[in-house]
Amino acid sequence: MSKIGKIAVRDRDPVSSLQDFLKLLLEKGTVEAVLVQQRLPINNSVMPALVTDVEKLGWADPLAPAFPLNAARMLSRLTRKPLDAPIAAVMRPCEIRAFIELVKLKQGSAENVILISADCLGAYGNTDYAKVSGLGAGTQSTLAFHRNVISGKGTATEDADISAACKSCEHPVADNADVTIGLLGTNLEESLILIANTQKGRKLLDDLGVKEEDESLDLRRKAVEGLLSERVAYRDRMFERTSAAVSDMEKLMNYLGACVNCYNCRVACPVCYCRECVFTTDVFDHEPAQYLRWAKRKGALKMPTDTVFYHLTRLAHMSAACIGCGQCSNACPNEVPVMELFRTVAHGVQGVFGYSAGASLEEEPPLSVFHEKEFSEVTGGID
Amino acid sequence: MADYEPTIIAFVCNWCTYTAADLAGTSRLVQPANVRMVRMMCTGMVDPKYIIKALLEGADAVLVSGCHPGDCHYINGNLKARRRMKLLKEILPKFGFDERRLKMTWIGASEGIDFAETIRKMTAEVKVLGQNDLRTRMVL
């Protein structure tokens, strides 16, 4: 099923060559629109945009190390009703995985969508990205970032580095996208690899007239393995640190101490699936007298209340679906290390249910299925 | 500490365990008065946040009890509840909660004796675990 092709890079500029590839999609009428990270004419910032005009793809910057929000949510908006014509979505691997979770939760459909994903070398948090992108206009900072990473100089600049979520991400490659754009193990200034992982992806490459290459993927495999071992090591250290930092209620309260119940982490979370969150309903508009009763019982009542309750509930609700994109931490105004906590717990939860969030459409979300005989230890060995 | 009276919050299914509790009462079975019962239509509607809230407010233990597998009035709510309990038993111990403070049992409508016995045993077990001091402590 898999097919390997190539994008030749012209003028040593992989970004404009990728733009050309995307333009071809619109020109040939293969898709009606492309959802892709786009450089905004203002402020040199980057946001997902739904592009139908070929010329406008000249602003596309799918490789920019910016991750303002998880675009899975945007794609879910586009696909909650059947699409008349196919669209292509160019997203990061974690956005693809979040979208797969949303499709399984019936909050989107992959039917008329072609998922395209480039290898992800990481992205900066929103405030850090503003520092990085300011250095050069247009896609200059994107090109510089990729040159540095591929040549081994790393992701850190003087005053910024990619987010902890990216440093600990063990999914830099989206094998579950229809088409993967391979950067790892290639010379970015010469060519990029195209890999069709699905029938849909293969058809797309055929339609575009991409020639099948007899390319060995050994270099790529090696580069991916190297990156993975680095990231897994970082991740495991992070798990260990975080587990120790929250190992009892006192410590957990310390950990969440700066939280002001703004719920930004929930808004930013692509897999927090409730249309209306209970924490913003009148269930939590407690009676004034109730606050006083609590205060009397405990001697002092922190206001706003229910901070730990909120985070624990969110953990119970979505840790099985957490794909580790780190947007929760990106959205936190007070630098609470939410991502670290959620990833640590999610790793355990997904392990218990033998589930890998976002890996495939076939795997059922753990809390939507059950078996007659399982987990008998929960009920004292009786089932 | 050994002498304190624990508070156990029990989320029980209307069709089975609640009826069993009723039977235990009308049969005049002697059982400790440590349980505060919340009658649910099905254990399948016990959201994890009810259990988390109970523990954060200082409940010493939480019991979720429903129909035996195969007997659920709503076909399989009890099996869904079991997965949620498994989830909480994975998450809450990471924050220092003793897993034994979370209990799930199957008690059918006719099993009043079982119900009384479960409560007796659970109360004794929870006494050994000691008090959940969150009741009188400020929780953020």
Side-chain angles (χ1 to χ4, degrees), chain B residues 47-82:
Chain B
D47 190 285
K49 67 178 167 284
Y50 304 162
I51 297 168
I52 294 168
K53 176 71 172 172
L55 290 170
L56 289 180
E57 284 300 319
D60 296 297
V62 173
L63 170 69
V64 174
S65 184
C67 311
H68 288 275
D71 289 353
C72 178
H73 190 78
Y74 306 99
I75 300 168
N76 51 34
N78 51 355
L79 301 179
K80 291 171 181 158
R82 180 169 61 187

mmCIF file of all heavy atoms in Angstrom, chain B residues 47-82:
data_model
loop_
_atom_site.group_PDB
_atom_site.id
_atom_site.type_symbol
_atom_site.label_atom_id
_atom_site.label_comp_id
_atom_site.label_asym_id
_atom_site.label_seq_id
_atom_site.Cartn_x
_atom_site.Cartn_y
_atom_site.Cartn_z
ATOM 1 N N ASP B 47 -20.508 9.376 37.682
ATOM 2 C CA ASP B 47 -19.378 10.044 37.023
ATOM 3 C C ASP B 47 -18.193 10.031 37.992
ATOM 4 O O ASP B 47 -18.376 10.186 39.200
ATOM 5 C CB ASP B 47 -19.775 11.486 36.682
ATOM 6 C CG ASP B 47 -18.758 12.161 35.785
ATOM 7 O OD1 ASP B 47 -17.670 12.546 36.285
ATOM 8 O OD2 ASP B 47 -19.048 12.310 34.595
ATOM 9 N N PRO B 48 -16.980 9.853 37.448
ATOM 10 C CA PRO B 48 -15.812 9.866 38.334
ATOM 11 C C PRO B 48 -15.775 11.090 39.251
ATOM 12 O O PRO B 48 -15.259 11.026 40.364
ATOM 13 C CB PRO B 48 -14.637 9.878 37.359
ATOM 14 C CG PRO B 48 -15.146 9.235 36.120
ATOM 15 C CD PRO B 48 -16.613 9.558 36.053
ATOM 16 N N LYS B 49 -16.334 12.206 38.773
ATOM 17 C CA LYS B 49 -16.203 13.419 39.594
ATOM 18 C C LYS B 49 -17.006 13.327 40.893
ATOM 19 O O LYS B 49 -16.665 13.965 41.873
ATOM 20 C CB LYS B 49 -16.582 14.671 38.803
ATOM 21 C CG LYS B 49 -18.019 14.794 38.408
ATOM 22 C CD LYS B 49 -18.228 16.129 37.679
ATOM 23 C CE LYS B 49 -19.576 16.182 36.989
ATOM 24 N NZ LYS B 49 -19.599 15.372 35.750
ATOM 25 N N TYR B 50 -18.048 12.498 40.942
ATOM 26 C CA TYR B 50 -18.783 12.335 42.198
ATOM 27 C C TYR B 50 -17.872 11.707 43.240
ATOM 28 O O TYR B 50 -17.883 12.071 44.421
ATOM 29 C CB TYR B 50 -20.006 11.432 42.022
ATOM 30 C CG TYR B 50 -21.007 11.854 40.964
ATOM 31 C CD1 TYR B 50 -21.931 10.952 40.464
ATOM 32 C CD2 TYR B 50 -21.035 13.168 40.483
ATOM 33 C CE1 TYR B 50 -22.854 11.316 39.505
ATOM 34 C CE2 TYR B 50 -21.961 13.538 39.513
ATOM 35 C CZ TYR B 50 -22.858 12.607 39.028
ATOM 36 O OH TYR B 50 -23.767 12.960 38.079
ATOM 37 N N ILE B 51 -17.104 10.738 42.789
ATOM 38 C CA ILE B 51 -16.227 10.010 43.704
ATOM 39 C C ILE B 51 -15.069 10.907 44.149
ATOM 40 O O ILE B 51 -14.719 10.970 45.322
ATOM 41 C CB ILE B 51 -15.708 8.736 43.011
ATOM 42 C CG1 ILE B 51 -16.901 7.823 42.705
ATOM 43 C CG2 ILE B 51 -14.665 8.034 43.857
ATOM 44 C CD1 ILE B 51 -16.597 6.667 41.787
ATOM 45 N N ILE B 52 -14.518 11.653 43.182
ATOM 46 C CA ILE B 52 -13.417 12.571 43.500
ATOM 47 C C ILE B 52 -13.890 13.610 44.511
ATOM 48 O O ILE B 52 -13.226 13.902 45.503
ATOM 49 C CB ILE B 52 -12.910 13.254 42.213
ATOM 50 C CG1 ILE B 52 -12.273 12.213 41.281
ATOM 51 C CG2 ILE B 52 -11.913 14.357 42.536
ATOM 52 C CD1 ILE B 52 -11.997 12.718 39.875
ATOM 53 N N LYS B 53 -15.087 14.159 44.265
ATOM 54 C CA LYS B 53 -15.635 15.186 45.160
ATOM 55 C C LYS B 53 -15.791 14.622 46.577
ATOM 56 O O LYS B 53 -15.418 15.272 47.567
ATOM 57 C CB LYS B 53 -16.991 15.655 44.626
ATOM 58 C CG LYS B 53 -17.723 16.650 45.512
ATOM 59 C CD LYS B 53 -17.065 17.996 45.496
ATOM 60 C CE LYS B 53 -17.923 19.031 46.240
ATOM 61 N NZ LYS B 53 -17.183 20.299 46.393
ATOM 62 N N ALA B 54 -16.330 13.406 46.669
ATOM 63 C CA ALA B 54 -16.526 12.802 47.986
ATOM 64 C C ALA B 54 -15.203 12.700 48.733
ATOM 65 O O ALA B 54 -15.107 13.075 49.911
ATOM 66 C CB ALA B 54 -17.162 11.423 47.841
ATOM 67 N N LEU B 55 -14.167 12.244 48.051
ATOM 68 C CA LEU B 55 -12.867 12.078 48.709
ATOM 69 C C LEU B 55 -12.262 13.431 49.075
ATOM 70 O O LEU B 55 -11.676 13.595 50.144
ATOM 71 C CB LEU B 55 -11.912 11.284 47.814
ATOM 72 C CG LEU B 55 -12.274 9.808 47.652
ATOM 73 C CD1 LEU B 55 -11.425 9.158 46.569
ATOM 74 C CD2 LEU B 55 -12.119 9.059 48.978
ATOM 75 N N LEU B 56 -12.414 14.423 48.182
ATOM 76 C CA LEU B 56 -11.832 15.737 48.467
ATOM 77 C C LEU B 56 -12.561 16.413 49.624
ATOM 78 O O LEU B 56 -11.993 17.251 50.319
ATOM 79 C CB LEU B 56 -11.890 16.642 47.227
ATOM 80 C CG LEU B 56 -10.942 16.281 46.081
ATOM 81 C CD1 LEU B 56 -11.096 17.261 44.930
ATOM 82 C CD2 LEU B 56 -9.497 16.256 46.549
ATOM 83 N N GLU B 57 -13.828 16.079 49.817
ATOM 84 C CA GLU B 57 -14.577 16.660 50.930
ATOM 85 C C GLU B 57 -14.359 15.892 52.227
ATOM 86 O O GLU B 57 -14.947 16.218 53.251
ATOM 87 C CB GLU B 57 -16.064 16.703 50.589
ATOM 88 C CG GLU B 57 -16.443 17.801 49.613
ATOM 89 C CD GLU B 57 -16.117 19.196 50.129
ATOM 90 O OE1 GLU B 57 -16.341 19.469 51.327
ATOM 91 O OE2 GLU B 57 -15.612 19.994 49.331
ATOM 92 N N GLY B 58 -13.566 14.844 52.161
ATOM 93 C CA GLY B 58 -13.196 14.177 53.398
ATOM 94 C C GLY B 58 -13.863 12.837 53.662
ATOM 95 O O GLY B 58 -13.772 12.306 54.769
ATOM 96 N N ALA B 59 -14.554 12.267 52.664
ATOM 97 C CA ALA B 59 -15.084 10.916 52.858
ATOM 98 C C ALA B 59 -13.905 9.973 53.091
ATOM 99 O O ALA B 59 -12.869 10.108 52.449
ATOM 100 C CB ALA B 59 -15.866 10.473 51.631
ATOM 101 N N ASP B 60 -14.062 9.032 54.015
ATOM 102 C CA ASP B 60 -12.956 8.128 54.291
ATOM 103 C C ASP B 60 -12.871 7.015 53.261
ATOM 104 O O ASP B 60 -11.815 6.421 53.069
ATOM 105 C CB ASP B 60 -13.107 7.554 55.697
ATOM 106 C CG ASP B 60 -12.999 8.665 56.728
ATOM 107 O OD1 ASP B 60 -11.928 9.283 56.810
ATOM 108 O OD2 ASP B 60 -14.003 8.956 57.405
ATOM 109 N N ALA B 61 -14.003 6.726 52.625
ATOM 110 C CA ALA B 61 -13.996 5.731 51.552
ATOM 111 C C ALA B 61 -15.249 5.924 50.709
ATOM 112 O O ALA B 61 -16.215 6.544 51.141
ATOM 113 C CB ALA B 61 -13.957 4.327 52.124
ATOM 114 N N VAL B 62 -15.180 5.402 49.506
ATOM 115 C CA VAL B 62 -16.330 5.464 48.607
ATOM 116 C C VAL B 62 -16.645 4.046 48.137
ATOM 117 O O VAL B 62 -15.746 3.298 47.750
ATOM 118 C CB VAL B 62 -16.047 6.370 47.388
ATOM 119 C CG1 VAL B 62 -17.192 6.285 46.380
ATOM 120 C CG2 VAL B 62 -15.824 7.805 47.817
ATOM 121 N N LEU B 63 -17.918 3.701 48.242
ATOM 122 C CA LEU B 63 -18.364 2.397 47.756
ATOM 123 C C LEU B 63 -19.279 2.612 46.556
ATOM 124 O O LEU B 63 -20.167 3.472 46.593
ATOM 125 C CB LEU B 63 -19.131 1.659 48.863
ATOM 126 C CG LEU B 63 -19.865 0.384 48.439
ATOM 127 C CD1 LEU B 63 -18.893 -0.735 48.089
ATOM 128 C CD2 LEU B 63 -20.817 -0.091 49.548
ATOM 129 N N VAL B 64 -19.009 1.895 45.489
ATOM 130 C CA VAL B 64 -19.933 1.885 44.352
ATOM 131 C C VAL B 64 -20.449 0.463 44.247
ATOM 132 O O VAL B 64 -19.660 -0.481 44.175
ATOM 133 C CB VAL B 64 -19.220 2.299 43.048
ATOM 134 C CG1 VAL B 64 -20.164 2.149 41.856
ATOM 135 C CG2 VAL B 64 -18.722 3.733 43.140
ATOM 136 N N SER B 65 -21.757 0.299 44.307
ATOM 137 C CA SER B 65 -22.272 -1.065 44.298
ATOM 138 C C SER B 65 -23.489 -1.184 43.401
ATOM 139 O O SER B 65 -24.422 -0.396 43.488
ATOM 140 C CB SER B 65 -22.609 -1.487 45.727
ATOM 141 O OG SER B 65 -23.012 -2.831 45.723
ATOM 142 N N GLY B 66 -23.455 -2.169 42.534
ATOM 143 C CA GLY B 66 -24.545 -2.358 41.580
ATOM 144 C C GLY B 66 -24.909 -3.816 41.394
ATOM 145 O O GLY B 66 -24.519 -4.669 42.190
ATOM 146 N N CYS B 67 -25.606 -4.058 40.324
ATOM 147 C CA CYS B 67 -26.088 -5.417 40.036
ATOM 148 C C CYS B 67 -24.938 -6.324 39.613
ATOM 149 O O CYS B 67 -23.934 -5.867 39.087
ATOM 150 C CB CYS B 67 -27.100 -5.378 38.909
ATOM 151 S SG CYS B 67 -28.369 -4.140 39.135
ATOM 152 N N HIS B 68 -25.130 -7.594 39.804
ATOM 153 C CA HIS B 68 -24.162 -8.553 39.276
ATOM 154 C C HIS B 68 -24.113 -8.435 37.757
ATOM 155 O O HIS B 68 -25.123 -8.113 37.137
ATOM 156 C CB HIS B 68 -24.585 -9.980 39.647
ATOM 157 C CG HIS B 68 -24.412 -10.286 41.099
ATOM 158 N ND1 HIS B 68 -23.227 -10.716 41.628
ATOM 159 C CD2 HIS B 68 -25.276 -10.177 42.131
ATOM 160 C CE1 HIS B 68 -23.366 -10.887 42.932
ATOM 161 N NE2 HIS B 68 -24.608 -10.565 43.272
ATOM 162 N N PRO B 69 -22.934 -8.715 37.156
ATOM 163 C CA PRO B 69 -22.857 -8.681 35.690
ATOM 164 C C PRO B 69 -23.951 -9.553 35.085
ATOM 165 O O PRO B 69 -24.193 -10.666 35.548
ATOM 166 C CB PRO B 69 -21.466 -9.254 35.395
ATOM 167 C CG PRO B 69 -20.666 -8.945 36.614
ATOM 168 C CD PRO B 69 -21.635 -9.037 37.759
ATOM 169 N N GLY B 70 -24.610 -9.011 34.084
ATOM 170 C CA GLY B 70 -25.696 -9.756 33.454
ATOM 171 C C GLY B 70 -27.058 -9.375 34.007
ATOM 172 O O GLY B 70 -28.077 -9.583 33.367
ATOM 173 N N ASP B 71 -27.072 -8.785 35.240
ATOM 174 C CA ASP B 71 -28.350 -8.436 35.859
ATOM 175 C C ASP B 71 -28.704 -6.964 35.731
ATOM 176 O O ASP B 71 -29.751 -6.536 36.228
ATOM 177 C CB ASP B 71 -28.312 -8.774 37.360
ATOM 178 C CG ASP B 71 -28.340 -10.274 37.594
ATOM 179 O OD1 ASP B 71 -28.515 -11.000 36.605
ATOM 180 O OD2 ASP B 71 -28.181 -10.694 38.754
ATOM 181 N N CYS B 72 -27.824 -6.165 35.111
ATOM 182 C CA CYS B 72 -28.038 -4.716 35.094
ATOM 183 C C CYS B 72 -29.397 -4.388 34.465
ATOM 184 O O CYS B 72 -29.741 -4.903 33.396
ATOM 185 C CB CYS B 72 -26.925 -4.020 34.312
ATOM 186 S SG CYS B 72 -27.122 -2.241 34.188
ATOM 187 N N HIS B 73 -30.147 -3.539 35.130
ATOM 188 C CA HIS B 73 -31.461 -3.126 34.635
ATOM 189 C C HIS B 73 -31.321 -2.441 33.279
ATOM 190 O O HIS B 73 -32.234 -2.458 32.469
ATOM 191 C CB HIS B 73 -32.082 -2.175 35.651
ATOM 192 C CG HIS B 73 -33.518 -1.859 35.387
ATOM 193 N ND1 HIS B 73 -34.533 -2.737 35.710
ATOM 194 C CD2 HIS B 73 -34.110 -0.786 34.826
ATOM 195 C CE1 HIS B 73 -35.696 -2.202 35.361
ATOM 196 N NE2 HIS B 73 -35.467 -1.017 34.816
ATOM 197 N N TYR B 74 -30.157 -1.797 33.072
ATOM 198 C CA TYR B 74 -29.898 -1.105 31.807
ATOM 199 C C TYR B 74 -28.878 -1.881 30.980
ATOM 200 O O TYR B 74 -28.073 -1.307 30.257
ATOM 201 C CB TYR B 74 -29.427 0.325 32.075
ATOM 202 C CG TYR B 74 -30.404 1.050 32.969
ATOM 203 C CD1 TYR B 74 -30.163 1.165 34.334
ATOM 204 C CD2 TYR B 74 -31.578 1.574 32.452
ATOM 205 C CE1 TYR B 74 -31.072 1.793 35.161
ATOM 206 C CE2 TYR B 74 -32.495 2.199 33.280
ATOM 207 C CZ TYR B 74 -32.246 2.308 34.634
ATOM 208 O OH TYR B 74 -33.157 2.921 35.447
ATOM 209 N N ILE B 75 -28.868 -3.165 31.148
ATOM 210 C CA ILE B 75 -28.083 -4.132 30.389
ATOM 211 C C ILE B 75 -26.605 -4.173 30.781
ATOM 212 O O ILE B 75 -26.085 -5.215 31.142
ATOM 213 C CB ILE B 75 -28.230 -3.936 28.862
ATOM 214 C CG1 ILE B 75 -29.718 -4.098 28.509
ATOM 215 C CG2 ILE B 75 -27.406 -4.964 28.074
ATOM 216 C CD1 ILE B 75 -30.093 -3.665 27.128
ATOM 217 N N ASN B 76 -25.893 -3.000 30.736
ATOM 218 C CA ASN B 76 -24.452 -3.094 30.992
ATOM 219 C C ASN B 76 -23.861 -1.893 31.725
ATOM 220 O O ASN B 76 -22.656 -1.708 31.710
ATOM 221 C CB ASN B 76 -23.712 -3.308 29.663
ATOM 222 C CG ASN B 76 -24.138 -2.280 28.629
ATOM 223 O OD1 ASN B 76 -24.434 -1.136 28.995
ATOM 224 N ND2 ASN B 76 -24.180 -2.651 27.374
ATOM 225 N N GLY B 77 -24.709 -1.103 32.376
ATOM 226 C CA GLY B 77 -24.197 0.074 33.105
ATOM 227 C C GLY B 77 -23.157 -0.303 34.142
ATOM 228 O O GLY B 77 -22.170 0.411 34.346
ATOM 229 N N ASN B 78 -23.370 -1.446 34.795
ATOM 230 C CA ASN B 78 -22.434 -1.866 35.842
ATOM 231 C C ASN B 78 -21.045 -2.166 35.283
ATOM 232 O O ASN B 78 -20.038 -1.923 35.941
ATOM 233 C CB ASN B 78 -22.994 -3.060 36.620
ATOM 234 C CG ASN B 78 -23.459 -4.193 35.707
ATOM 235 O OD1 ASN B 78 -23.454 -4.048 34.475
ATOM 236 N ND2 ASN B 78 -23.861 -5.311 36.298
ATOM 237 N N LEU B 79 -21.005 -2.673 34.051
ATOM 238 C CA LEU B 79 -19.700 -2.989 33.451
ATOM 239 C C LEU B 79 -18.960 -1.712 33.056
ATOM 240 O O LEU B 79 -17.733 -1.639 33.118
ATOM 241 C CB LEU B 79 -19.871 -3.913 32.238
ATOM 242 C CG LEU B 79 -20.546 -5.253 32.535
ATOM 243 C CD1 LEU B 79 -20.677 -6.078 31.267
ATOM 244 C CD2 LEU B 79 -19.774 -6.033 33.590
ATOM 245 N N LYS B 80 -19.736 -0.690 32.670
ATOM 246 C CA LYS B 80 -19.117 0.611 32.379
ATOM 247 C C LYS B 80 -18.574 1.208 33.675
ATOM 248 O O LYS B 80 -17.486 1.788 33.697
ATOM 249 C CB LYS B 80 -20.141 1.548 31.755
ATOM 250 C CG LYS B 80 -20.540 1.115 30.356
ATOM 251 C CD LYS B 80 -21.712 1.927 29.843
ATOM 252 C CE LYS B 80 -22.107 1.447 28.455
ATOM 253 N NZ LYS B 80 -23.486 1.788 28.118
ATOM 254 N N ALA B 81 -19.344 1.040 34.746
ATOM 255 C CA ALA B 81 -18.906 1.564 36.043
ATOM 256 C C ALA B 81 -17.599 0.900 36.472
ATOM 257 O O ALA B 81 -16.719 1.548 37.035
ATOM 258 C CB ALA B 81 -19.985 1.334 37.096
ATOM 259 N N ARG B 82 -17.471 -0.393 36.174
ATOM 260 C CA ARG B 82 -16.253 -1.101 36.574
ATOM 261 C C ARG B 82 -15.031 -0.485 35.898
ATOM 262 O O ARG B 82 -13.980 -0.312 36.515
ATOM 263 C CB ARG B 82 -16.379 -2.582 36.220
ATOM 264 C CG ARG B 82 -15.150 -3.389 36.605
ATOM 265 C CD ARG B 82 -15.392 -4.866 36.486
ATOM 266 N NE ARG B 82 -15.729 -5.246 35.115
ATOM 267 C CZ ARG B 82 -16.127 -6.471 34.772
ATOM 268 N NH1 ARG B 82 -16.249 -7.423 35.694
ATOM 269 N NH2 ARG B 82 -16.409 -6.759 33.514
#
